[in-house]
Amino acid sequence: MLLQVYSEISMVGRNPSKYEHEDVYRMPLLLATIYESARLLPSGPMLQRCSMKHDLRFATGVTVPAGAVLVVPVQLVQKDAFNWGKDASAFNPYRFLSNITKESAFLPFGSGTRACVGQKYVIQVVATLLASLFKKYEIRLNTGSDGDSEPISKNPLVQHNPNSQIIFVRRDQ
């Protein structure tokens, strides 16, 4: 997949230090990769909101009392098979290239009137940074041979390999 992202970046930008705002939106696979990364590893684990001044009654019979604190576990919502399919825990940026994406289940920046005001700016900056890096460098993962290479946790929500290193190899221009 990195080769496809690199190919996309190469076709769009001639000068990697001067990507324009419009250039980022001409790299849909790069954006999909960023969105998928944010879906699987959101910056905040939960969203909290206080309910309205009046009780809220749903058609299902559930009532949320006025003033109740509602907690949304973002990581669980973003890995829910009902919204994201059977491969919800797998890294698959192609899901963001289809028109079927469930925007209501994509919450790395919050949602509604209290969503992060810098969401579009952050996506733009991260995409520009990655495009500039990928244009000049090949990215490799070096797991190394020294030490234990087992993930810290068996929990797929927080898997992390402490001995992995990202290596940047300069591309021949």
Side-chain angles (χ1 to χ4, degrees), residues 1-10 27 29-30 33 130 134:
M1 188 193 69
L2 276 175
L3 288 175
Q4 292 169 314
V5 172
Y6 174 68
S7 175
E8 184 179 80
I9 291 167
S10 295
M27 297 184 262
L29 186 55
L30 176 64
T33 302
L130 289 176
F134 287 170

Side-chain angles (χ1 to χ4, degrees), residues 36-44 75 78-79 108 156-159:
E36 181 69 348
S37 299
R39 183 185 74 83
L40 291 173
L41 298 167
S43 59
Q75 289 180 321
Q78 294 191 160
K79 291 187 177 186
L157 291 177
V158 293
Q159 263 190 5

Side-chain angles (χ1 to χ4, degrees), residues 6-67:
Y6 174 68
S7 175
E8 184 179 80
I9 291 167
S10 295
M11 289 190 304
V12 170
R14 288 172 181 59
N15 185 350
S17 63
K18 293 217 173 198
Y19 283 107
E20 300 294 330
H21 175 74
E22 300 81 27
D23 291 339
V24 169
Y25 295 100
R26 292 182 13 231
M27 297 184 262
L29 186 55
L30 176 64
L31 287 173
T33 302
I34 293 167
Y35 291 138
E36 181 69 348
S37 299
R39 183 185 74 83
L40 291 173
L41 298 167
S43 59
M46 294 182 276
L47 296 174
Q48 292 183 350
R49 297 290 184 265
C50 189
S51 66
M52 310 290 253
K53 293 180 183 179
H54 306 286
D55 289 355
L56 177 64
R57 289 183 179 81
F58 291 96
T60 59
V62 174
T63 300
V64 177

